Amino acid sequence: MKENSVNPGREHWSGQLGFILAAAGSAIGLGNIWRFPYITGENGGGAFILVYLLCVAFVGLPVMICEITLGRHTQRNPAGCFAQLTPKSSVLSHFLGGGMILTGIALLFFHSFGWGIAALVLGGLVFWQSWRLVGLMGVLTGFLILSYYSVVGGWAIGYAIKAAGNHLAFTGVEQAQETFDNFVSSPLPVIGFHFFFMLLCVVIVYKGVQKGIETACKVMVPLLFIIMLVLILRGLTLPGADAGVRFCFTPDFSKLSAQGVLIALSHAFFTLSLGMGAMITYGSYLGKNENIFGAAVWITALDTLFAILACLMIFPAVFAMGFEASEGPGLLFQVVPAVFNQIPLGPVWAVLFFLLLLMAALSSGISLLEVVTAYFVDERKWPRHRAVIGTGAVIFLLGTLCAISLNNWNALPGIQEAVTACFGGARASFFDLIDNLTSNWMLPLGGFFIALFTGWVWGTRKAIEEIRHGSKNFADVHLLTLMAGLKDDPSHNSSKHPLTLATLWGIFIRFVCPVAILITFLHTIGWLNLTP
Ligand code: PHE
């Protein structure tokens, strides 16, 4: 296929708004409502939020522009996109592959067999597949994330039903904890709800890009904001809520560690759906005349706004009721019902809250399923219905393993022993294993390679040519002229300006993003320790 040929039969979004809402739906998810408040709570509140905002603006936004551009240019899924743009031979990929093989040999030498073999296999694959591997890894990541994401989506359904039946009337956190532990470790209902969640994803994705995904997000994303605002108003009007607001907006840098900064960066990837090609896939359904830069800014801003709102929804209520902010992952499912139980009309607020959680998870789940579906439709030429149902069924089965593993690893004989024998470490469940593997490894690695590929292999020049369609100001107006609102003034309007949004973006993609991600990544795997 010629490099810049577009795929004429491909379905497209109805326009810029449809794309922005669908992509915002993908970005806004469990990451915002469940994960962000508790990591903020654990890392000291305001100061952490500030660092997170910097990570989103300086790393998240540039990579988001990259992904959408790659997608729209190739009009294909992530694997097809990289297959199309990978050059016949790439010095950089040989260098990276060679480096991994040498690392693998060194690790074997130090008797770290699991990691050693992993590095050797990965290095070999990089040599063989070159940049194609990045796209394939993205599809695999989508597959893995959805398998546990859907289990948590199922919990939200279960809790919404419990709330409706007034079964969440806890008087203290211990009782809430016990209910939660009993619930997640009872396989049958959890698998049932997980099945239902996957079914909802399959039905929406089955209907197609415009009729399914876009229509669903056009309803769900505005509803998300409305429900969120209602819950915030309720929380803020509780006596004592101001402590929660102060917690979110008063930066106390003494509570922020190097670890906290790195958590903020890897969370920026997860929450913006970056690093695995969700935005490449959604970008591939974008028309040539739409404004990529504008859309990326909107998606990033909406996701960030939603994360801050989630903190404003949760912390005032938590503080007003006298709970601890650093409650950890259980913050949502344990503290929130206990909080709601103490205010008038508690069950109503609780049902609303878990519906909010469910819709947020669903609008992200469909984007994960669409990545995998698009791969089978584009590359394997499967009819859409077969791709959706087939991959949905396999993801359901893998998610079932995650659900069972939270109850009892022994139900999956051999897997845990094999994992522990190869990689050592704590006896984490299969669920935690997949969560950890995808969010701490595969997404940052994917983001790193996407930035590196666009910056140094495909080239920022070609990328900017693609962005120019629909977004002239990006590359042709001086940044200061643009900011001053003088872009239509003839004396300011030459296209030969060196400082434009495009030059800024190019520098970020080539240098700032890869270095920042590399530091986070090395810290995550423990090869670089920045914590004093
Ligand atoms: N962004 C989603 C969230 O915040 C998760 C997600 C990650 C979705 C990667 C798609 C791809 O919950």
Side-chain angles (χ1 to χ4, degrees), residues 352-369:
L352 265 187
F353 177 80
F354 287 107
L355 278 182
L356 169 83
L357 192 64
L358 169 64
M359 280 195 295
L362 195 59
S363 60
S364 301
I366 52 180
S367 73
L368 290 159
L369 186 58

Side-chain angles (χ1 to χ4, degrees), residues 26-32 145 149 270-273 276 278 364 367-368:
S26 165
I28 297 170
L30 297 171
N32 304 59
I145 295 184
Y149 207 85
F270 186 82
T271 189
L272 293 173
S273 307
M276 45 76 65
S364 301
S367 73
L368 290 159

Side-chain angles (χ1 to χ4, degrees), residues 74-93:
T74 55
Q75 302 270 305
R76 287 167 82 176
N77 66 94
C81 164
F82 277 89
Q84 184 176 328
L85 298 180
T86 293
K88 281 213 181 60
S89 105
S90 156
V91 181
L92 190 57
S93 78

